[in-house]
């Protein structure tokens, strides 16, 4: 943030931002939403990542401003295709406040997992860099004035876009520099500075005073508005207060200039009284500006010029004109010419295009998805109608044993239609294929159930962790609650669980149908000879003339039924063909571009009626034909049965009916199992993508959690520790008495031997074991005890005047000679004392060496805790140490 040395032009410092990983979250979403384009889009994602790296270290130049604008336009263009937010593509962006430098611990850092915050910060920096470009121009040159006026207006437009379009849609303002009050102030300030540049150019171009005074008056108005807006903003400790003072000074400065140029207009018309009134006003305003500017811009020269003009006009009026000088309030108001205006943000930049241009916008994609859902529902209803009516027709024919009864008049030959059906069953794999498909379905179902169970468990674990930390840190744990963010994921998971429950029930129905018809399917799966052996033999039948006519009619009806079924198969294929996806997407995209109201439902309804209306009419006509055929077949079959002169074996007739029903069941089961397998495989892909999205969300939340934990721990580490408490009075008295006590060295008295683990009492000294003494014959000088270290644990009886715990030489390592620490053999033990403190020969060979003592034997477990409480020996009762220093 700076103010021009001589012109007082203010520029804004860009926000600083942290790096963010865009590639993985974007590619994860693309793989789920646009799997066929992931390779091509990987390059586009890399391009966007590089663009962001550049704008984090952007140049404060026109090239830098263009880079910021390109990235802003790219983020805006991809927002409707790749939604970056907490629930879809989770990327956390962090930016620091522009006005506060110490942002890490002062709370002036903002983080949000949405593209709106990112675009807002980038647009702020575009405005800031534009203001710096403008403020750095040489206002003494024509090109400099043009560029300054241009970029101040660009900055004003960018701040206005932020204030009016982006910030109002934010749930909270992450940093103070993005508050509406700050943005409104900066918008008007940049406009005022642009107006001032236009005024300076008008003066340099020697335009008429009527024009320059109006330009100056408008600049004064803008500075006045900026001053009012900035006065209501509280940004203590920043340059804001200085800027506010500059705006007030500029308001008076530009008003003074306007009055001065208006005085020149009065002088040209010989209105000396009006001239003097304007000059007096200009003198006052410019004098105030000099005081308020505090040297931030040059205004003394023009004040001197006004003083000279006022003195000359006063002299002329005193000696020549003698006109009355009116009050300024009685004079007409100076006209205005507000030329500077905020420049709208450009929507295109030369050489730039959306790198994700081939992706379909999400609203169009959602509309296409809704259309596909409505279309699938329509197709499902119509195909179900066809299949249900076909099953009804087959059931009626099976009950009449048609067409097999027409081919089995002899009672011995196998009907040709039955042989064809058996061959069809064998070709399709027969009973073995059905069994294999039934065995595969539970595994596919179980895999999908495992995915959804694992995913929901991960969501629950993340939510539980967040609740625990929120309870631990309280209000300091200020990130969004997990239960709010995981709601949509859990609803989606519940929907998938419901789908799996329905699928499990459907599988049960299909299996029951299989068990009902398994015997007939098994017979149909045999070869022709085995099939013949499986069917009972019946008696021959003779027909009357009326019966023969009925047989001819029934055969004709069977042909019509065969034709009807063929038409239905063709209708079903037309329904399933689809093929209108690209067409409807093109229509939705056109509607999205041309209309502000995206009425996708109306367009969907119109397109469905146009595409599938004729097919729906064909389904209705097919059902009507079936009803007519069933009525005719029933009548003809009654005549056929009545005309029979011979009896038909009941077992044979029943077997024929069962085999016909078994064939129909086989065909339906094969279709059901194929659809079920396809359904489970497709669902696995969907659930895998769902699980991947949840894992990405949890990873992002864990990263956010770690960052917040570090921040909270950093704040705790920087807190000032509490003051050290004053020691009790008896501590001070003990210290004083210890300092004044007579120095004396006393050797500890030997105590009679006693058990090693005896416990001393406050009034009874613990018995001590006799210590080995070095004799004069050994040539060893007795060693003085080591110095006491304040705060370090000491043996009871230290100093020799108070009996305490006796060191034992029966311990694995033996006790140190003078009550110090052990030297442990392992790496975790205390280091050994310097060798110089222990003269050779005092310790029996091998007793104080590491190899004799296996690791772990000298543990604290040898001394039962609590047996030797320090509180038994109050401070100050031990005589001071008088040994060697």
């Amino acid at each position: 943030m700076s103010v021009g040395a001589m012109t007082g032009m203010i520029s804004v410092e860009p926000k600083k931002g942290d790096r963010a990983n865009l590639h993985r979250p974007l590619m994860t979403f693309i793989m789920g939403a646009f799997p066929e384009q992931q390779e091509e889009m990987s390059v586009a994602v890399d391009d966007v990542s590089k663009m962001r790296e550049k704008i984090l270290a952007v140049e404060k130049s026109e090239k830098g401003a263009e880079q910021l604008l390109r990235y802003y336009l790219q983020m805006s263009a991809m927002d409707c295709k790749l939604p970056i937010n907490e629930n879809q593509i989770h990327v956390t962006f962090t930016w620091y406040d522009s006005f506060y430098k110490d942002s890490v611990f002062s709370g002036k850092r903002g983080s949000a997992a949405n593209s709106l915050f990112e675009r807002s910060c980038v647009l702020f920096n575009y405005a800031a860099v534009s203001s710096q470009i403008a403020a750095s121009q040489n206002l003494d040159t024509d090109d400099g004035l043009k560029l300054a006026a241009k970029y101040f207006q660009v900055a004003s437009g960018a701040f206005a876009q932020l204030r009016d379009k982006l910030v109002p849609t934010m749930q909270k303002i992450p940093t103070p520099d993005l508050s509406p009050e700050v943005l409104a102030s900066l918008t008007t300030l940049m406009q005022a500075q642009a107006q001032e540049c236009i005024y300076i150019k008008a003066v340099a171009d020697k335009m008429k005073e009527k024009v320059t005074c109006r330009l100056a008056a408008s600049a004064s108005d803008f500075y006045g508005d900026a001053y009012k807006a900035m006065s209501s903003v509280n940004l203590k400790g920043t340059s804001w207060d200085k800027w506010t003072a500059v705006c007030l000074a500029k308001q008076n400065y530009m008003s003074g200039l306007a009055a001065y140029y208006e005085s020149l207009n009065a002088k040209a018309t010989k209105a000396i009284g009006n001239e003097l009134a304007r000059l007096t006003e200009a003198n006052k305003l410019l004098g105030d500006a000099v005081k308020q500017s505090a040297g931030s811009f040059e205004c003394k020269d023009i004040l001197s010029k006004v003083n000279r003009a006022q003195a000359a006009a006063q002299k002329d009026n005193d000696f020549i004109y003698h006109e009355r000088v009116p009050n300024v309030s009685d004079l007409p108001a100076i006209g205005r010419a507000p030329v500077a205006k905020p420049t709208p943000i450009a929507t295109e930049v030369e050489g730039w295009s959306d790198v994700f241009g081939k992706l379909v916008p999400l609203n169009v994609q959602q509309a296409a998805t809704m259309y596909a859902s409505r279309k699938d529902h329509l197709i499902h209803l119509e195909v179900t109608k066809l299949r249900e009516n076909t099953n009804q027709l087959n059931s009626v024919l099976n009950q009449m044993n048609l067409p097999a009864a027409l081919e089995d008049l002899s009672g011995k030959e196998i009907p040709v239609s039955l042989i064809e059906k058996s061959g069809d069953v064998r070709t399709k794999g027969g009973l073995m294929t059905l069994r294999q498909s039934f065995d595969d379905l539970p595994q596919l179902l179980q895999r999908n159930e495992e995915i959804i169970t694992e995913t929901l468990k991960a969501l629950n674990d993340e939510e539980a962790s967040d609740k625990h930390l929120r309870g631990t840190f309280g209000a300091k744990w200020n990130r969004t609650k997990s239960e709010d963010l995981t709601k949509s994921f859990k609803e989606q998971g519940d929907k998938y669980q419901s789908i799996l429950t329905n699928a499990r029930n459907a599988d049960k129905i299909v299996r029951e149908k299989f068990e009902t018809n398994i015997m007939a399917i098994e017979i149909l799966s045999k070869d022709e000879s085995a099939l013949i052996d499986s069917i009972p033999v019946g008696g021959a039948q003779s027909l009357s003339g009326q019966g023969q006519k009925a047989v001819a009619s029934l055969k004709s009806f069977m042909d019509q039924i065969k034709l009807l079924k063929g038409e239905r198969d063709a209708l079903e294929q037309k329904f399933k063909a689809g093929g209108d996806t690209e067409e409807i997407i093109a229509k939705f995209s056109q509607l999205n571009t041309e209309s502000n109201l995206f009425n996708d439902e109306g367009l969907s309804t119109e397109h469905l009626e146009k595409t599938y209306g004729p097919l729906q009419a064909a389904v209705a006509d097919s059902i009507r034909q079936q009803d007519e055929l069933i009525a005719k077949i029933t009548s003809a079959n009654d005549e056929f049965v009545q005309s029979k002169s011979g009896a038909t074996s009941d077992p044979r007739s029943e077997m024929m009916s069962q085999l016909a029903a078994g064939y129909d069941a086989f065909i339906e089961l094969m279709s059901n199992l194929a659809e079920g397998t396809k359904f489970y495989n497709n669902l696995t892909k969907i659930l895998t993508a769902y699980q991947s999205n949840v894992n990405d969300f949890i990873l992002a939340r864990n990263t956010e959690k770690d960052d917040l934990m570090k921040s909270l721990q950093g704040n705790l580490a920087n807190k000032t520790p509490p003051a050290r408490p004053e020691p009790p009075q008896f501590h001070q008295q003990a210290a004083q008495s210890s300092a004044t006590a007579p120095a004396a060295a006393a050797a500890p008295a030997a105590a009679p031997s006693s058990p090693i683990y005896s416990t001393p009492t406050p009034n009874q000294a613990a018995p001590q074991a006799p210590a080995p003494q070095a004799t004069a014959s050994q040539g060893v000088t007795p060693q003085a005890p080591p110095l006491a270290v304040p705060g370090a644990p000491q043996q009871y009886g230290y100093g020799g005047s108070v009996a305490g715990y006796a060191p034992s030489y029966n311990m694995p390592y033996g006790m140190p000679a003078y009550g110090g620490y052990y030297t442990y053999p392992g790496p975790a033990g205390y280091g050994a004392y310097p060798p110089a403190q222990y003269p050779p020969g005092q310790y029996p060979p091998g007793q104080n060496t590491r190899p004799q003592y296996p690791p772990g034997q000298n543990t604290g477990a040898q001394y039962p805790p609590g047996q030797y409480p320090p509180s038994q020996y109050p401070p100050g009762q031990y005589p001071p140490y008088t040994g060697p220093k």
Side-chain angles (χ1 to χ4, degrees):
M1 289 164 273
S2 63
V3 178
M6 300 301 294
T7 61
M9 296 297 180
I10 295 171
S11 63
V12 182
E13 190 73 19
K15 297 166 71 70
K16 296 186 181 299
D18 289 345
R19 292 184 175 182
N21 181 12
L22 293 175
H23 191 275
R24 187 171 185 269
L26 287 175
M27 285 308 302
T28 300
F29 184 86
I30 289 171
M31 284 188 288
F34 310 100
E36 69 282 354
Q37 295 174 281
Q38 57 180 327
E39 291 185 6
E40 184 179 1
M41 291 302 107
S42 178
V43 178
V45 170
D46 289 338
D47 291 342
V48 173
S49 299
K50 292 176 183 177
M51 291 171 69
R52 191 175 195 277
E53 288 295 320
K54 290 180 180 179
I55 62 103
L56 288 179
V58 69
E59 301 176 9
K60 298 174 183 178
S61 62
E62 293 184 70
K63 179 182 177 182
E66 184 176 325
Q67 289 176 345
L68 285 163
L69 181 58
R70 284 172 179 266
Y71 181 66
Y72 171 77
L73 293 176
Q74 180 58 63
M75 291 298 292
S76 300
M78 63 186 276
D79 189 51
C80 62
K81 305 171 184 178
L82 303 172
I84 298 177
N85 53 55
E86 290 185 334
N87 296 324
Q88 292 172 288
I89 303 176
H90 196 289
V91 181
T92 300
F93 299 106
T94 299
W95 290 88
Y96 297 87
D97 188 88
S98 171
F99 298 100
Y100 290 92
K101 296 298 183 183
D102 185 15
S103 299
V104 177
F105 297 110
S106 64
K108 306 305 178 185
R109 177 182 67 175
S111 296
N114 62 69
S115 64
L116 176 61
F117 178 56
E118 173 83 346
R119 286 183 285 127
S120 298
C121 294
V122 173
L123 189 57
F124 184 96
N125 280 4
Y126 174 64
V129 170
S130 297
S131 73
Q132 292 185 332
I133 296 171
S136 65
Q137 298 303 314
N138 183 0
L139 302 186
D140 293 331
T141 64
D142 188 66
D143 290 340
L145 284 169
K146 288 180 180 179
L147 281 175
K150 172 187 173 182
Y151 278 100
F152 275 133
Q153 291 178 91
V154 168
S156 179
F159 285 129
Q161 176 91 347
L162 265 175
R163 176 197 63 194
D164 299 334
K165 302 293 184 183
L166 299 183
V167 171
T169 59
M170 289 184 178
Q171 294 182 353
K172 63 179 181 179
I173 308 301
T175 53
D177 53 7
L178 292 179
S179 66
E181 296 80 12
V182 170
L183 296 175
S185 301
L186 295 177
T187 299
T188 310
L189 173 60
M190 296 299 129
Q191 187 178 6
Q193 294 185 146
Q195 181 75 17
E196 183 180 357
C197 292
I198 294 170
Y199 154 77
I200 296 173
K201 188 174 187 309
V203 173
D205 293 344
K206 298 181 180 180
M207 299 182 73
K208 294 181 179 181
E209 286 78 6
K210 288 184 179 181
V211 175
T212 53
C213 74
R214 293 183 178 186
L215 292 172
S218 293
S220 175
D221 292 343
F222 289 142
Y223 276 117
D225 294 340
Y227 172 73
K228 291 178 183 178
M230 296 175 74
S231 298
S232 64
V233 175
N234 182 16
L235 291 177
K236 293 182 179 180
T238 68
S239 302
W240 195 262
D241 292 339
K242 183 178 179 181
W243 291 5
T244 305
V246 170
C247 285
L248 179 60
K250 282 290 187 81
Q251 179 187 8
N252 291 327
Y253 175 65
M254 299 308 298
S255 291
L257 290 174
Y260 170 69
Y261 283 106
E262 188 65 21
S263 73
L264 296 181
N265 290 329
K267 181 178 181 179
T269 59
K270 305 299 182 181
I272 302 302
N274 291 354
E275 179 188 2
L276 274 171
R278 297 293 186 184
L279 287 171
T280 302
E281 179 69 11
N283 197 341
K284 176 182 178 301
L285 291 169
L286 291 172
D288 292 342
V290 170
K291 297 175 185 177
Q292 295 158 351
S293 65
S296 59
F297 60 93
E298 177 57 49
C299 53
K300 292 182 179 179
D301 290 346
I302 188 64
L303 177 60
S304 299
K305 187 175 182 180
V306 168
N307 285 333
R308 291 193 298 270
Q310 183 181 7
Q314 186 67 49
K315 181 178 179 180
D316 289 344
N317 191 49
D318 291 344
F319 288 98
I320 302 173
Y321 299 104
H322 304 289
E323 286 190 12
R324 185 183 68 84
V325 179
N327 292 326
V328 175
S329 58
D330 296 333
L331 297 175
I334 300 174
R336 263 56 175 173
V339 178
K341 291 180 173 57
T343 303
I345 298 298
T347 56
E348 294 182 359
V349 177
E350 184 178 356
W352 172 82
S353 61
D354 180 12
V355 296
F356 299 107
K358 293 184 179 180
L359 296 183
V360 178
L362 276 185
N363 62 334
V364 173
Q365 189 177 11
Q366 289 172 355
T369 302
M370 291 298 297
Y371 169 81
S373 178
R374 293 180 63 184
K375 181 183 76 171
D376 291 343
H377 181 65
L378 182 150
I379 291 173
H380 174 73
L381 288 178
E382 298 302 319
V383 171
T384 301
K385 285 181 185 179
L386 288 175
R387 291 181 177 179
E388 288 179 349
N389 279 275
T390 301
N391 290 337
Q392 180 186 0
L393 178 61
N394 290 334
S395 177
V396 171
L397 295 178
N398 291 336
Q399 290 176 2
M400 299 178 185
N401 194 23
L402 295 174
L406 303 177
E407 302 167 353
D408 188 31
L409 297 176
S410 66
K412 297 180 180 180
E413 297 180 358
I414 299 298
V416 176
S417 60
L418 186 59
I419 294 176
E420 291 176 352
K421 290 176 180 179
S422 177
D424 189 29
V425 169
R426 291 196 303 273
T427 302
K428 289 180 169 62
L431 183 61
M432 185 180 296
T433 300
L434 276 182
R435 288 188 184 278
Q436 182 61 45
S437 298
F438 273 112
D439 291 340
D440 292 342
L441 276 185
Q443 298 177 10
L444 297 174
L445 173 63
Q446 182 180 1
R447 172 57 183 151
N448 288 317
E449 288 178 335
E450 289 174 353
I451 293 174
I452 195 65
T453 301
E454 292 172 3
T455 305
L456 291 177
K457 181 180 181 300
L459 285 172
N460 291 330
D461 291 346
E462 198 282 329
E463 185 175 331
S465 173
D466 183 69
K467 285 182 178 179
H468 172 70
L469 292 171
R470 192 174 301 280
T472 302
F473 292 99
K476 294 180 181 179
W477 196 256
N478 55 2
R479 69 172 184 166
T480 307
K481 291 183 178 180
S482 289
E483 59 187 16
D484 295 337
L485 299 178
T486 58
K487 183 178 179 181
S488 60
F489 282 124
K490 287 188 173 182
E491 289 177 351
Q492 199 172 0
D494 292 341
K495 182 186 73 174
Y496 291 140
Q497 283 188 321
S498 176
I499 291 173
L500 287 174
T501 300
N502 294 334
R504 194 182 301 107
N505 294 334
D507 291 348
K508 184 178 179 182
I509 294 173
V510 172
R511 179 167 285 278
E512 288 175 355
K513 190 167 191 176
F514 170 69
E515 297 295 340
T516 302
N517 296 276
I518 187 171
M519 185 189 73
I521 296 173
E522 184 178 7
I523 294 174
L524 290 170
S525 301
K526 298 178 179 179
D527 56 25
E528 186 173 343
S529 60
L531 176 66
I532 294 172
D533 294 340
S534 301
I535 299 175
V537 177
Q541 305 176 29
S542 60
L543 297 176
S544 63
Q546 187 68 24
Q548 293 177 357
K549 290 181 180 180
V551 169
S553 298
L554 287 173
K555 288 183 177 180
S556 173
F557 293 148
M558 293 302 104
D559 292 338
Q560 293 180 40
I561 286 175
K562 189 175 182 180
L563 180 61
L564 182 65
K565 289 183 176 180
E567 291 175 351
R568 289 183 175 180
D569 290 340
L571 271 177
E572 187 170 335
Q573 293 302 317
K574 288 181 180 180
F575 273 117
K576 292 182 177 180
D580 61 339
T581 303
E582 294 183 1
E583 180 183 356
I584 194 63
I585 287 178
K587 289 185 176 182
F588 281 138
S589 299
Q590 183 179 3
L591 180 65
N592 186 43
T593 304
E594 297 177 354
S595 176
N596 294 328
L597 181 62
F598 188 63
N599 184 17
D600 58 302
E601 186 175 353
L603 182 58
S604 296
T605 302
E606 179 184 348
H607 190 77
L608 286 173
E609 290 178 353
K610 179 181 177 181
T611 306
Y612 295 99
L615 296 179
Q616 288 177 293
V619 170
D621 185 63
S622 177
I623 294 173
R624 181 187 56 78
Q625 291 182 37
Q626 173 178 312
D627 292 340
E628 293 177 356
L629 276 174
I630 288 177
K632 293 177 180 179
I633 291 171
T634 302
S635 176
N637 187 67
D638 290 342
E639 294 179 2
F640 169 64
V641 172
Q642 292 175 2
S643 66
K644 292 181 181 179
S645 60
T648 304
S649 173
D650 288 338
R652 182 179 179 82
S653 178
E654 289 177 2
M655 177 63 73
M656 293 290 187
S657 298
Q658 289 178 6
L659 293 178
Y663 173 76
D664 293 335
F666 175 82
I667 297 300
E668 185 177 357
L669 288 172
M670 288 293 291
S671 176
N672 291 338
L673 290 172
E675 290 178 356
T677 302
K678 181 180 179 182
F679 165 78
Y680 282 128
N681 288 331
N682 291 338
L683 186 60
T684 300
K685 295 178 182 178
I686 295 173
L687 292 179
T688 303
Y690 166 69
Q691 186 180 44
S692 177
N693 291 337
V694 169
N695 289 340
D696 288 339
F697 164 77
I698 292 176
L699 176 62
R701 289 286 287 178
N702 288 338
T703 303
E704 184 183 25
K705 177 181 71 175
D706 294 341
D707 291 343
L708 185 55
M709 289 283 288
K710 290 179 182 177
S711 176
L712 292 174
Q713 291 170 356
N715 291 338
L716 292 175
N718 283 275
K719 281 188 176 180
T720 304
R724 181 178 179 181
E726 290 293 330
Q729 187 174 4
F730 71 87
H731 283 195
Q732 299 176 3
Q733 293 173 354
Q736 291 173 2
S737 63
S738 176
T740 58
S753 62
S754 61
I756 294 176
Y757 297 109
S758 60
T759 304
T761 62
N763 299 320
Q764 177 184 352
Q768 298 183 0
Q773 302 293 329
T775 62
S777 62
Q778 292 172 317
V780 178
T781 303
Q783 186 178 4
L787 296 178
V789 180
Q794 304 294 334
Q795 294 182 17
Y796 299 123
Y798 171 74
S801 60
V802 179
Y805 179 69
S808 171
Y809 291 92
N810 295 324
M811 300 302 295
Y813 296 115
M815 295 293 288
Y818 301 105
Y821 293 93
Y822 293 108
T823 299
Y824 284 68
Y830 295 96
Y833 287 98
Q837 294 184 5
Y838 304 91
Q842 278 195 356
Y843 305 99
Q847 287 191 6
N848 197 29
T849 58
R850 296 188 177 189
Q852 285 191 354
Y853 312 105
Q857 289 189 7
N858 194 29
T859 62
Q862 295 179 0
Y863 303 94
Q867 289 193 7
Y868 313 104
S871 61
Q872 294 179 1
Y873 303 92
Q877 290 190 8
Y878 300 98
Y881 174 69
T882 58
K885 301 289 184 182

